[in-house]
Amino acid sequence: MSILNETIYKELGISKEVYELGEKTLERLKERFEVIDQNAEYNQLKVLNAMQKNNVSEACLLGTTGYGYSDIGRDKLEQVYASVFHTEDALVRPQITCGTHALALALMSNLRPGDELLSPVGKPYDTLEEVIGIRPSKGSLAEYGITYSQVDLLEDGSFDFEGIRKAINSKTRMVTIQRSKGYATRPTLSVERIGELIKFIKDIKPDIICMVDNCYGEFVQKEEPSDVGADMIVGSLIKNPGGGLAPIGGYIAGKKDCVENAAYRLTSPGLGKEVGASLGILPQFYQGFFLAPTVTASALKGAIFAANLYQDFGFDVFPNATEDRFDIIQSITFGKPEGLIAFCEGIQAAAPVDSFVAPEPWDMPGYDAQVIMAAGAFVSGSSIELSADGPLKAPYNVYFQGGLTWPHAKLGILKTVQALHDKGLIKI
Ligand SMILES: *Cc1c(COP(=O)(O)O)cnc(C)c1O
């Protein structure tokens, strides 16, 4: 390694042997990283093109207060999202507090009592269980007389087309398709597969609204689910599309009707998109969206780098070292608590904020085991920033994601390797 690199890595606590192992691993990832860079290049230009075509101007970066009437920056940002995702309209607001809120909004505003929601890809993300009422909760869809049915993926991860055909009935009004595996152990769906599924469903019943939970998937591929027939795509701005700069927010992009329903639900019937002050937040929304393609690429490189290192150490990694990626989440199975804890300590020690604290397992509300979390983020809870967590129970999986820049993701992963090595949990 160059003298300068040697010095800075040493100063950050990376030994020569860990650094060199990293370099050796990266040698074989060159071609894959090139593909990721090409993808980022395309997506970067897609975002830039949308900003130019929509005449984003300096005035768009100013905010409004109060009711937020005539907030041109807010309205234009929504056009930019719609242009990038090739949808008729979009709702992109700081008043949408998180991904779960965006999804709840999309569901509740487009379903009516007596309708049925179908998930053809198995159990949805944890927090949606209470939105839907799978676990009883105040204000759930179930309380409003909206029923739910679910068809699981088959053993090998493929769609249960026959099961889906049987599940669709005269009440089925909407399907929810989760792109990312989230924290489940099924494969993440590629945009192509989502397209196949939507086509199958629309062939059976054309007026079903197909919504895709796009969390963690934005800009991972060149196309989005809205390019292959999704009526609505929904996500969080403290994940990929916020580019690390958005401090809050969510989006719904899709058919005009669907977005309009969501806007009336978010604010009020009659008011819809016309109100909702952007305050001073638009520069971060615009700039974050502008940076999102390359930030997502950095996170993807980090996930692939870690999968390759840890698979070589003999751990089960999911996705594995060589398979294609359709989201930014990586999991590693340590088999014992020491590995999971050391990994999280490594990630924390690499953080720009709170690097000096040691993460510890704690009894997090709603979980049946202790959970350990590592995050030293500029935006609290942001998971496009380098972060890791996992429950302290067998098989001791860590889930990690993010990295605003590739050099930072790389350092974070080297820090985890160093931590496991120093504790004698791996041999180099
Ligand atoms: C993160 C996530 C959500 C929920 O988003 P929050 O911002 O945490 O509420 C929903 N679905 C998937 C697949 C996610 O990854």
Side-chain angles (χ1 to χ4, degrees):
M1 70 174 114
S2 80
I3 288 292
L4 269 183
N5 262 3
E6 191 166 342
T7 318
I8 193 75
Y9 274 102
K10 201 166 152 201
E11 230 174 278
L12 285 158
I14 304 296
S15 67
K16 194 158 189 252
E17 55 187 340
V18 168
Y19 179 80
E20 281 174 356
L21 175 70
E23 294 309 286
K24 219 174 79 198
T25 304
L26 285 174
E27 272 301 311
R28 65 170 194 257
L29 295 177
K30 275 197 177 132
E31 276 175 33
R32 269 190 99 181
F33 280 21
E34 243 168 62
V35 174
I36 292 172
D37 286 336
Q38 285 161 8
N39 198 56
E41 182 178 340
Y42 176 81
N43 284 325
Q44 175 72 81
L45 298 185
K46 186 160 75 165
V47 174
L48 177 68
N49 193 27
M51 290 185 174
Q52 294 184 348
K53 288 256 158 71
N54 285 290
N55 293 324
V56 172
S57 66
E58 197 176 353
C60 294
L61 303 177
L62 303 172
T64 54
T65 56
Y67 293 105
Y69 291 128
S70 311
D71 189 324
I72 57 161
R74 175 197 67 205
D75 295 347
K76 191 139 281 184
L77 179 71
E78 291 176 337
Q79 287 168 18
V80 168
Y81 264 69
S83 296
V84 166
F85 293 141
H86 305 124
T87 56
E88 290 171 8
D89 204 355
L91 187 67
V92 185
R93 302 283 169 127
Q95 286 84 9
I96 301 177
T97 56
C98 61
T100 304
H101 185 195
L103 288 157
L105 193 59
L107 291 167
M108 295 185 159
S109 61
N110 283 288
L111 289 161
R112 295 290 178 270
D115 287 345
E116 185 158 288
L117 171 69
L118 165 68
S119 171
V121 296
K123 191 180 83 64
Y125 198 75
D126 256 24
T127 54
L128 283 191
E129 290 187 19
E130 284 178 273
V131 171
I132 295 166
I134 301 171
R135 275 185 286 141
S137 178
K138 285 191 201 307
S140 69
L141 293 176
E143 271 199 352
Y144 286 86
I146 295 157
T147 54
Y148 170 72
S149 77
Q150 177 177 315
V151 178
D152 290 339
L153 295 174
L154 297 174
E155 199 71 18
D156 64 354
S158 60
F159 300 125
D160 178 3
F161 285 115
E162 264 331 288
I164 295 167
R165 186 190 300 281
K166 281 196 203 113
I168 293 174
N169 59 58
S170 59
K171 287 172 51 181
T172 312
R173 176 80 187 111
M174 196 160 158
V175 302
T176 176
I177 300 168
Q178 186 178 309
R179 178 172 175 181
S180 167
K181 65 190 170 299
Y183 302 115
T185 51
R186 59 134 167 115
T188 286
L189 303 176
S190 66
V191 168
E192 293 73 21
R193 287 192 68 200
I194 291 172
E196 259 177 66
L197 180 59
I198 291 173
K199 183 173 182 310
F200 178 79
I201 289 164
K202 297 247 180 195
D203 280 348
I204 297 169
K205 198 172 179 219
D207 64 346
I208 289 183
I209 300 169
C210 292
M211 179 188 88
V212 174
D213 174 350
N214 209 24
C215 284
Y216 286 132
E218 297 91 352
F219 300 124
V220 171
Q221 296 183 257
K222 285 182 178 150
E223 290 193 304
E224 300 292 337
S226 42
D227 292 312
V228 293
D231 299 299
M232 257 191 297
I233 59 173
V234 181
S236 161
L237 299 199
I238 64 167
K239 293 178 179 172
N240 310 14
L245 291 185
I248 191 172
Y251 78 88
I252 298 171
K255 293 263 158 67
K256 200 159 190 51
D257 261 7
C258 295
V259 172
E260 204 167 38
N261 279 332
Y264 285 135
R265 179 75 186 217
L266 175 65
T267 63
S268 156
L271 300 182
K273 294 181 80 179
E274 303 296 318
V275 296
S278 59
L279 306 173
I281 221 165
L282 290 172
Q284 285 130 292
F285 278 17
Y286 276 105
Q287 196 176 354
F289 199 47
F290 181 74
L291 294 177
T294 50
V295 169
T296 303
S298 300
L300 263 180
K301 288 177 183 173
I304 292 170
F305 183 45
N308 278 268
L309 281 165
Y310 279 91
Q311 186 168 303
D312 283 357
F313 291 131
F315 297 103
D316 280 338
V317 298
F318 188 73
N320 73 27
T322 51
E323 69 190 281
D324 286 340
R325 303 271 158 164
F326 306 117
D327 69 12
I328 62 168
I329 303 175
Q330 179 66 45
S331 85
I332 304 165
T333 304
F334 287 106
K336 51 184 177 184
E338 292 80 8
L340 167 59
I341 293 169
F343 187 95
C344 289
E345 286 171 352
I347 293 290
Q348 188 74 40
V353 180
D354 288 338
S355 62
F356 49 86
V357 306
E360 283 188 24
W362 64 298
D363 293 299
M364 198 176 154
Y367 288 83
D368 58 354
Q370 287 199 314
V371 177
I372 185 165
M373 295 185 158
F378 296 107
V379 172
S380 178
S382 166
S383 47
I384 187 62
E385 297 185 52
L386 189 63
S387 49
D389 51 76
L392 270 106
K393 61 178 184 187
Y396 299 99
N397 277 336
V398 76
Y399 298 90
F400 98 90
Q401 64 274 312
L404 294 183
T405 68
W406 157 238
H408 181 234
K410 175 179 171 182
L411 174 75
I413 292 146
L414 293 177
K415 287 291 275 184
T416 69
V417 172
Q418 189 75 52
L420 270 94
H421 183 249
D422 291 349
K423 291 187 170 174
L425 299 166
I426 49 173
K427 284 206 175 58
I428 295 173

